[in-house]
């Protein structure tokens, strides 16, 4: 979770004034759509953010991100909500050739992170949720010192009016109540960005929603939280319940939370979602900033406190030439740079393939089916069954291996990615689908073999991660 600029002493909170400015800036965005002012990209551009953990010598999360970041001293690295976490913001690239560049950049940054962490007797880790995380670790005391984080926490709890209730069950159960939102910090992710050309928004966004289920299944890497074996991608329910503020004013009267898969297919474009942000959700951080309306500061702050699993983004502002992109948030961090770039490639390629189908896929699938697929894949990973575009029920692992890897490769090559590059970058996806071993499956198998020694599990995971080999090759 990135919250943007820090809250300065000169900033102030005024809900009525914030709403006034938010409406004015939303009208400016609407004008940009009307006047066709958004940038067009050919080929598409991609980017990514990677969230990660710091561990101590006992393989436990270590609340030392400030000292670590000071030593690392890299403008691409920043703090996160909890003092255990940090984030790497990767450079944007044109899609052809861009995926290998992302892999190389993650590798270089990760080597720098490992070296900087070692100077504090720490180790960095890319994983959805570290199995050694203990419930008492996530509290207001371990929140990164930040006026904005503090304000967000206070506002979430004030709007909720009651403690955060978390209940997640599958093989085991987790039930707890907390007076803070810090369980959100348990969930670290890879966020993939894909530019969207004007007029393509509905097709690409709906396609991203359809792709979300299989992408979640193949990338799952978060089977444990607070010592319980829960969903294969436990980040999904944990993050949704951490915020847990429903809205009753979404499209079609649907009840949609601030962390959501959504309420229905897009009909025309992103403006539908931005109006939903305006009318369906109150401001969590109604902070007044001294900036021209064209800078869209209040618009972006509102959009940044709504965490759709596929989030619409406006890059730039209305003073220049803004652009549109989708931020995909379903994939966890890890297990390796190769795996994460493969996950990004699978999302991008499959989304573009689905969007390019002659018959709009949203006319062949009910939105409820896409949503059900997403949660089934988060719960069961590669063991899930999904309803696909042919209307039939498929084993998602077999569907990915038989059809969707090839579809993603076609989607990439149609966007200008050389065939050999597309095939190579997607190879870990095909091999995971063949073997059934993604990060979550490897973690479960390790525990089945060695017992619930979570420190031993994280030590083995870290050794494999530092080795750099993709997760489908890891041994138990």
């Amino acid at each position: 979770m990135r919250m943007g600029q820090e809250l300065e002493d000169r900033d102030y909170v005024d809900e009525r004034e914030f709403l006034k400015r938010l409406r004015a800036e939303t009208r400016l965005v609407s004008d940009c759509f009307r006047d066709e002012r958004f940038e067009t990209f050919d080929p598409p551009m991609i980017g990514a953010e990677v969230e990660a953990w710091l561990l101590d010598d006992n393989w436990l999360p270590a609340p030392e991100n400030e000292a670590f970041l000071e030593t690392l001293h890299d403008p691409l690295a920043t703090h996160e909500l909890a003092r255990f976490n940090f984030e790497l913001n990767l450079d944007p690239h044109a899609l052809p050739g861009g995926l290998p560049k992302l892999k190389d950049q993650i590798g270089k940054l990760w080597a720098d992170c490992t070296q900087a962490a070692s100077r504090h007797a720490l180790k960095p880790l890319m994983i959805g949720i570290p199995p050694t995380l203990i419930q008492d670790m996530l509290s207001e005391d371990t929140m990164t010192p930040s006026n904005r984080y503090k304000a967000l926490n206070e506002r979430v709890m004030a709007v909720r009016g009651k403690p955060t209730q978390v209940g997640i069950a599958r093989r085991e159960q987790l039930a707890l109540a907390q007076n803070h939102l810090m369980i959100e910090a348990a969930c670290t992710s890879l966020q993939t960005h894909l530019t969207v050309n004007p007029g393509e928004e509905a097709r690409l966004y709906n396609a991203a929603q359809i792709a979300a289920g299989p992408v979640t299944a193949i990338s799952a890497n978060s089977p444990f939280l607070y010592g319980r074996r829960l969903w294969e991608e436990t980040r999904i329910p944990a993050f949704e319940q951490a915020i847990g503020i429903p809205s009753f004013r979404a499209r079609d009267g649907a009840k949609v939370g601030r962390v959501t898969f959504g309420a229905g297919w897009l009909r025309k474009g992103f403006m539908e979602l931005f109006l939903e942000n305006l009318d369906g959700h109150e401001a969590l951080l109604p902070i007044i900033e001294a900036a021209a309306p064209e800078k869209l500061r209040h618009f972006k702050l509102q959009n940044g406190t709504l965490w759709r699993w596929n989030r619409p983004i406006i890059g730039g502002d209305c003073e220049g030439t803004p652009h549109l992109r989708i931020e995909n948030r379903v994939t966890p961090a890890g297990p390796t740079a190769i795996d994460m770039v493969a996950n990004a490639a699978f999302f991008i390629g499959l989304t573009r393939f689905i969007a390019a189908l002659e018959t709009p896929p949203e006319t062949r699938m009910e939105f409820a089916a896409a949503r059900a697929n997403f949660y089934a894949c988060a719960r069961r990973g590669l063991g899930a069954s999904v309803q696909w575009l042919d209307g039939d029920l498929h084993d998602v692992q077999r569907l990915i291996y038989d059809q969707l890897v090839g579809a993603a490769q076609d989607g990439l090559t149609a966007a200008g990615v050389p065939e050999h590059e597309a095939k190579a970058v997607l190879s870990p996806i095909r091999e995971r689908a063949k073997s059934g071993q993604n990060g979550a499956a490897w973690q479960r198998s390790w525990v089945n073999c060695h017992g619930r020694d979570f420190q031993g599990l994280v030590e083995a995971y870290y050794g494999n991660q530092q080795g750099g080999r993709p997760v489908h090759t890891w041994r138990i």
Side-chain angles (χ1 to χ4, degrees), residues 114-390:
T114 301
Q115 183 177 17
S118 68
R119 294 175 62 179
H120 300 276
L122 301 171
K123 300 174 181 66
L125 189 75
M126 296 179 289
I127 194 169
I129 301 172
T132 51
L133 179 65
I134 298 168
Q135 180 177 331
D136 291 344
M137 290 177 174
L138 293 178
S139 69
E140 292 176 79
D141 292 337
T142 53
M143 183 183 293
T144 294
S146 160
N147 292 337
R148 194 171 289 253
Y149 291 147
K150 180 181 178 182
L152 177 66
N153 184 67
E154 291 174 351
R155 284 284 296 173
V156 167
M157 301 315 299
V159 171
R160 284 184 56 82
K162 59 183 179 180
T164 298
Q165 301 289 332
V166 177
I168 307 171
R170 191 180 170 215
R171 298 294 178 88
E172 297 171 1
Q173 296 184 351
L174 174 67
L176 57 90
Q178 295 182 324
N179 290 310
H180 53 76
L181 56 73
M182 288 296 287
I183 194 172
E184 176 188 330
C187 311
T188 43
S189 63
L190 164 72
Q191 296 156 24
T192 301
H193 292 249
L194 173 65
T195 57
V196 177
N197 288 339
E200 294 179 341
E201 307 123 72
R203 292 297 301 271
L204 274 171
Y205 190 85
N206 291 340
Q209 296 285 74
I210 295 170
V215 170
T216 301
I218 199 70
S219 66
N221 193 29
S222 314
F224 298 104
L225 174 59
Y226 296 158
R228 278 84 158 183
R229 179 182 167 186
L230 302 170
W231 292 20
E232 297 294 88
E233 194 43 58
T234 304
R235 287 172 45 258
I236 303 302
F239 199 167
E240 291 189 352
Q241 294 179 40
I243 304 298
I245 302 173
S247 165
F248 295 90
R249 292 181 288 172
R251 286 175 296 152
D252 303 324
K255 182 178 177 181
V256 177
R258 296 191 81 96
V259 185
T260 180
F261 186 75
W265 298 125
L266 286 196
R267 300 177 180 89
K268 293 183 178 179
F270 281 179
M271 201 63 211
E272 297 163 42
L273 299 178
F274 295 141
L275 290 174
E276 195 172 284
N277 291 355
L278 172 68
D279 296 325
H281 300 274
E282 61 186 289
L284 276 189
L285 290 177
I287 299 164
I288 308 305
E289 298 196 31
E294 290 77 11
K295 289 294 185 183
L296 305 180
R297 293 287 179 80
H298 305 86
F299 174 90
K300 290 186 176 184
L301 183 53
Q302 178 73 346
N303 195 48
T305 55
L306 287 154
W307 296 271
R308 288 181 174 85
W309 292 112
N310 282 307
R311 180 155 67 177
I313 299 286
I314 289 183
D317 56 50
C318 291
E319 283 189 334
T321 304
H323 69 268
L324 305 170
R325 62 182 190 265
I326 295 170
E327 178 189 58
N328 176 265
R329 306 174 61 84
V330 308
T331 51
T336 66
I338 292 174
D339 289 305
M340 288 190 294
V341 172
N343 294 339
F346 187 54
F347 162 71
I348 293 166
L350 185 57
T351 294
R352 291 191 61 84
F353 175 86
I354 293 171
L357 292 173
E358 184 174 354
T359 302
E362 56 268 39
T363 66
R364 299 161 57 188
M365 175 185 283
E366 295 291 333
F367 181 80
R371 181 169 52 202
N373 288 347
F374 172 63
Y375 288 107
C377 290
R379 181 185 291 271
R380 299 184 58 85
L382 289 173
S385 295
V386 297
Q387 180 184 326
W388 201 238
L389 296 173
D390 56 7

Side-chain angles (χ1 to χ4, degrees), residues 11 36 43 49 52 70 93-94 106 112 149 158 172 180 208 242 248 302 325 333 349 367-368 373 402 407 410 415 439:
D11 295 331
E36 300 181 347
E49 304 163 50
E70 184 176 352
H93 300 284
I106 295 172
D112 293 342
Y149 291 147
E172 297 171 1
H180 53 76
F248 295 90
Q302 178 73 346
R325 62 182 190 265
F367 181 80
N373 288 347
D402 286 348
D410 289 346

Side-chain angles (χ1 to χ4, degrees), residues 10 14-15 46 53 61 96 141 147 177 198 237-238 240 276 283 308 317 339 398 435 453:
R10 66 178 181 272
D14 184 327
E15 293 188 44
I46 59 171
W53 291 81
D141 292 337
N147 292 337
E240 291 189 352
E276 195 172 284
R308 288 181 174 85
D317 56 50
D339 289 305
R398 188 61 182 262
S435 67
D453 174 12

